[in-house]
Amino acid sequence: MLQKADTNFGFAVGASLLIFFIGGILTTVVPPLIDKTWAKPFSNSDPAKGITGELKPYTEQELKGRAIYIREGCTYCHTQQTRTILADTKRSGWRGVDSPVSTPDEFVYDYPHLFGTKRTGPDLSRVGGKYDMQWHRTHFRNPRDLVPGSVMPPFPWIAANEEEFQAMVAYLQTLGRAKNWRPDGDFEK
Amino acid sequence: MADANAQDRATEIQRVTGAEPVVHEDLTVKWFLLSSVAYFFIVGIIAIIIAAKFVWPELLSTVAMFTYGRMRPLHVNGMLFGWLLACDMGLIFYLVPRLCGVKIWSEKLGLATAALWNVIVLGAVVSLLMGWTSGLEYAELPLPLDVLVVVAWIMFGVNIFMTIATRRYQQMYVSIWYIMGTILWTAFVYLTGNFATLFATGVNQANLNWMYVHNAVGLIFTPAGLALAYYFIPRSSNLPLHSHKLSMIGFWSLAFVYVWTGAHHMLHGPISQWLQTIAIAFSVMLIIPVWAVVFNLFSTIKGHWHEMGENVPLKFLMSGVVFYLLTCFQGPMHSLRAVNAIVSKTDWIPGHAHMAVLGAFSFFAIAGTYYILPRIFRTPLHSQPLAQWSYWFFMSGGLGFFVTLWLGGFWQGWQWNNPAIPFIDTVIALGPVWLVRFFSGILMFAGIVCFAYNVLATALGEKKALEA
């Protein structure tokens, strides 16, 4: 049948588009219609149903911080997803408590998404609340002062610009916080 | 007449029998080729700088523009769109008129496309260094540039489709299908990745983004690269293509299978499990189009492998086919959950990606460039030995790069899966791997220098030949 595409220009064009669109539509348009958790923000107040918490929209300051994160290309080295892999829940964990895995309903307000594909530095999906202001300031100024052996570039212009620095930290502290996963809420400010 | 040689012979016959000969001006080809090679060289320098930053993180770190986070997207976009796609477009402008037995539909439109493409690439350099980015991988260019890409692609598509529509030979050679596929699929893949993503957030947006990322390679660079391989392997070896039927199986299964696999970029991640499973199933099915193509091309050259020794384009082409086979075997294997849990997000992945884009598709583009240079500039290639050197530099640098990153990445993945090892120790452990990668990058860059100089000297040689 497809031999017609050898000689018939219109047929070749039509057939290659049709065949492409089957998979194209079934994998892009259809999934969000089937899986509603992609668009419904996380919210749970009943401890019996599991971890509690609520995903809140970003504040203006947090969005400013997020824009800096995008501008500096942080996403090329830091993923934001605790995968369904045991080691991921341990590494995203903190002070002996394992982190819950990331779920689609925690990312509904992310625009653009920052899941990332490469983990040159550690995953940041649960970094919110782990380090305080002073730690971040020192770390942005020169990561190797706090973490010898780190290959992260220094970002002195963020540490030195109070507005940018505050916004940046405000954003970082939101990461992974929709779920109240710490036992005593022992988050740093 | 199903093979490239036969169609060229037909042109010969027409010439002998006095039918009006087709003289190709190839101006658009020259512009695309020369600018793409220039970007190959410039972005090659950026590639070396970012490889060095893994070893010496303080390098150029006091200037915001030159930090890793800004130079990496420039490296990716510059190589994909400034070098490889532009070179592919130039080669397509060469082979479509020849396979159709007519002149290019509009040389003026072609030149305008080349000019616009240069505006886009230069715009990308400025915006990415300034940090004006959409933040979506492979789709970093800001919206105004995205619009220009669409305009340029329509200009390109119209020109090529009108040429095909007015062709003199009724039968369309396999390269023509792949080129038509490239143009059509790219349009929709690009719109999905750069425009549909504007209307989605979170996982939904990520799903569209990965559909684009995966198909930028699978439905833009793969069909464009295979169009070149299917044309230049028979042409440079003077052998007919092994099987027409097999090339059809390869093409139509590619058209069907590739687009389903986007979600394999988020295996184990926060995306529906059933969608991950679909992506895995189709990723494994990719073996069908790949092996159909590779078997066909290997069988074409069967018994003539020794000719690769003296024939530089053939050398690049067949090495490219081997890399294509390897990279497309890795891909389906990565998508298996058990393997993915080790290699995903590690340094293995850049090793894999570079084998696809450099080892396979750039090798095809380099081969095509070497093959057509003497024909479009009507003068012998400046230096055969230099061309051989460029091959060995690319080959040794490429292998050094791929193999060390695979080993290093696999090792890194094992370390990550043992939470008793602090993360920073897994970074420090990769130090030697990144150092070898840097030196491999230097070798690859030496290949670029030999290649670019040869292209430039041949192009300037034309002028000398005309003046003399």
Side-chain angles (χ1 to χ4, degrees):
Chain A
M1 180 200 82
L2 288 171
Q3 252 155 6
K4 212 175 160 191
D6 274 5
T7 50
N8 188 324
F9 175 69
F11 182 85
V13 169
S16 48
L17 277 184
L18 182 76
I19 289 180
F20 163 81
F21 270 117
I22 297 172
I25 288 174
L26 284 177
T27 56
T28 57
V29 180
V30 175
L33 300 176
I34 296 177
D35 192 337
K36 301 290 182 196
T37 66
W38 288 20
K40 192 170 154 281
F42 175 79
S43 173
N44 178 32
S45 51
D46 181 4
K49 285 187 193 160
I51 254 172
T52 57
E54 191 193 356
L55 179 71
K56 296 190 196 85
Y58 293 108
T59 65
E60 203 172 307
Q61 189 191 32
E62 288 157 8
L63 281 177
K64 196 173 276 174
R66 203 165 189 274
I68 299 168
Y69 189 97
I70 293 161
R71 182 189 77 198
E72 301 299 347
C74 307
T75 189
Y76 297 113
C77 294
H78 295 287
T79 54
Q80 288 189 15
Q81 41 180 321
T82 302
R83 298 171 299 168
T84 51
I85 291 175
L86 183 66
D88 264 31
T89 63
K90 301 266 180 210
R91 290 194 183 280
S92 288
W94 184 242
R95 294 175 184 152
V97 180
D98 292 355
S99 140
V101 297
S102 300
T103 47
D105 49 11
E106 289 181 85
F107 301 92
V108 178
Y109 299 118
D110 282 17
Y111 183 87
H113 80 84
L114 296 169
F115 290 113
T117 50
K118 179 77 189 353
R119 222 171 247 186
T120 304
D123 179 81
L124 299 183
S125 56
R126 299 279 174 218
V127 82
K130 284 183 187 170
Y131 305 98
D132 65 13
M133 210 69 149
Q134 190 50 50
W135 188 93
H136 279 297
R137 196 186 291 277
T138 313
H139 191 252
F140 277 123
R141 207 169 271 147
N142 185 3
R144 273 154 296 284
D145 286 351
L146 287 176
V147 189
S150 165
V151 294
M152 178 168 149
F155 291 93
W157 53 90
I158 296 180
N161 180 330
E162 202 52 33
E163 196 196 339
E164 287 207 343
F165 174 70
Q166 296 285 346
M168 188 75 203
V169 176
Y171 167 64
L172 291 175
Q173 302 297 34
T174 68
L175 291 175
R177 293 282 290 276
K179 290 180 177 168
N180 277 324
W181 63 284
R182 298 297 310 162
D184 313 310
D186 56 345
F187 294 110
E188 303 282 352
K189 288 246 163 54
Chain B
M1 280 227 304
D3 69 280
N5 294 321
Q7 294 200 342
D8 213 65
R9 276 198 295 279
T11 318
E12 280 299 319
I13 291 164
Q14 266 172 346
R15 201 168 291 153
V16 174
T17 54
E20 60 171 303
V22 181
V23 181
H24 302 284
E25 280 181 79
D26 293 326
L27 284 174
T28 312
V29 181
K30 289 178 192 171
W31 274 105
F32 263 113
L33 230 51
L34 291 178
S35 46
S36 72
V37 171
Y39 295 128
F40 200 13
F41 177 81
I42 295 164
V43 182
I45 297 172
I46 291 167
I48 290 188
I49 294 173
I50 63 174
K53 279 167 173 285
F54 277 84
V55 187
W56 302 283
E58 311 280 342
L59 179 78
L60 290 176
S61 67
T62 50
V63 188
M65 266 192 204
F66 300 136
T67 46
Y68 178 83
R70 300 200 188 181
M71 294 189 90
R72 192 197 111 140
L74 182 56
H75 165 61
V76 172
N77 285 277
M79 281 301 184
L80 291 185
F81 300 108
W83 147 244
L84 188 53
L85 193 54
C87 188
D88 283 349
M89 285 160 85
L91 294 168
I92 287 170
F93 271 113
Y94 173 89
L95 62 88
V96 167
R98 283 166 177 78
L99 284 172
C100 292
V102 289
K103 286 172 94 163
I104 188 75
W105 183 65
S106 166
E107 194 77 60
K108 271 188 192 145
L109 182 62
L111 286 171
T113 316
L116 180 56
W117 201 259
N118 276 289
V119 170
I120 293 166
V121 175
L122 294 174
V125 173
V126 174
S127 64
L128 293 176
L129 287 182
M130 293 305 289
W132 301 329
T133 160
S134 77
L136 295 171
E137 219 173 340
Y138 280 37
E140 284 93 349
L141 300 193
L143 196 58
L145 289 175
D146 292 341
V147 173
L148 289 184
V149 171
V150 173
V151 172
W153 199 255
I154 292 170
M155 290 160 71
F156 173 63
V158 166
N159 215 347
I160 296 299
F161 274 113
M162 290 308 287
T163 309
I164 297 172
T166 55
R167 69 192 183 280
R168 199 176 287 179
Y169 313 121
Q170 205 198 0
Q171 175 138 19
M172 291 182 286
Y173 180 61
V174 46
S175 294
I176 297 278
W177 316 336
Y178 274 106
I179 289 164
M180 293 199 295
T182 307
I183 292 170
L184 295 169
W185 298 327
T186 301
F188 291 99
V189 167
Y190 196 82
L191 290 176
T192 307
N194 293 277
F195 294 91
T197 45
L198 296 173
F199 306 100
T201 64
V203 173
N204 193 5
Q205 189 189 42
N207 187 45
L208 299 175
N209 187 191
W210 303 141
M211 183 273 192
Y212 164 71
V213 165
H214 189 77
N215 294 306
V217 180
L219 292 174
I220 300 179
F221 293 110
T222 299
L226 294 182
L228 305 182
Y230 270 118
Y231 180 83
F232 288 113
I233 288 175
R235 293 296 285 121
S236 57
S237 64
N238 267 318
L239 296 163
L241 183 66
H242 169 71
S243 162
H244 181 62
K245 196 166 260 175
L246 207 51
S247 63
M248 288 180 67
I249 294 172
F251 177 78
W252 293 105
S253 55
L254 180 92
F256 181 65
V257 170
Y258 235 111
V259 68
W260 294 77
T261 56
H264 73 197
H265 289 256
M266 272 184 86
L267 291 185
H268 302 286
I271 195 165
S272 321
Q273 287 292 331
W274 54 269
L275 191 57
Q276 298 185 23
T277 307
I278 290 174
I280 294 170
F282 279 86
S283 301
V284 174
M285 275 190 250
L286 280 179
I287 286 179
I288 300 166
V290 173
W291 288 15
V293 168
V294 170
F295 183 82
N296 209 355
L297 295 174
F298 277 178
S299 302
T300 300
I301 209 80
K302 195 177 171 193
H304 295 79
W305 285 92
H306 59 277
E307 286 170 22
M308 279 171 60
E310 294 301 313
N311 188 333
V312 175
L314 197 59
K315 216 175 196 146
F316 272 105
L317 286 163
M318 295 320 291
S319 315
V321 177
V322 172
F323 283 135
Y324 179 63
L325 173 67
L326 285 177
T327 199
C328 291
F329 185 68
Q330 283 184 340
M333 294 304 113
H334 299 163
S335 74
L336 303 176
R337 281 192 175 88
V339 181
N340 188 273
I342 300 166
V343 298
S344 183
K345 321 276 182 282
T346 67
D347 277 75
W348 172 291
I349 302 301
H352 163 71
H354 280 78
M355 183 163 63
V357 176
L358 176 91
F361 304 129
S362 290
F363 270 30
F364 294 155
I366 292 167
T369 306
Y370 274 134
Y371 181 86
I372 73 169
L373 269 179
R375 290 168 174 81
I376 57 173
F377 289 108
R378 298 187 178 85
T379 170
L381 187 69
H382 169 72
S383 163
Q384 281 294 337
L386 200 59
Q388 293 278 8
W389 274 101
S390 75
Y391 173 84
W392 289 109
F393 277 133
F394 276 120
M395 194 63 175
S396 54
L399 280 177
F401 186 109
F402 312 149
V403 174
T404 43
L405 285 194
W406 297 332
L407 295 174
F410 211 77
W411 182 33
Q412 188 183 25
W414 279 114
Q415 293 182 3
W416 285 353
N417 276 292
N418 176 0
I421 302 174
F423 189 88
I424 187 63
D425 289 358
T426 73
V427 175
I428 293 167
L430 269 262
V433 170
W434 290 330
L435 191 64
V436 176
R437 187 256 297 269
F438 170 71
F439 285 113
S440 307
I442 300 265
L443 284 175
M444 276 148 67
F445 186 69
I448 296 180
V449 172
C450 295
F451 170 63
Y453 178 77
N454 222 346
V455 172
L456 192 68
T458 309
L460 294 176
E462 180 200 35
K463 212 177 153 197
K464 264 187 226 146
L466 287 178
E467 281 166 359

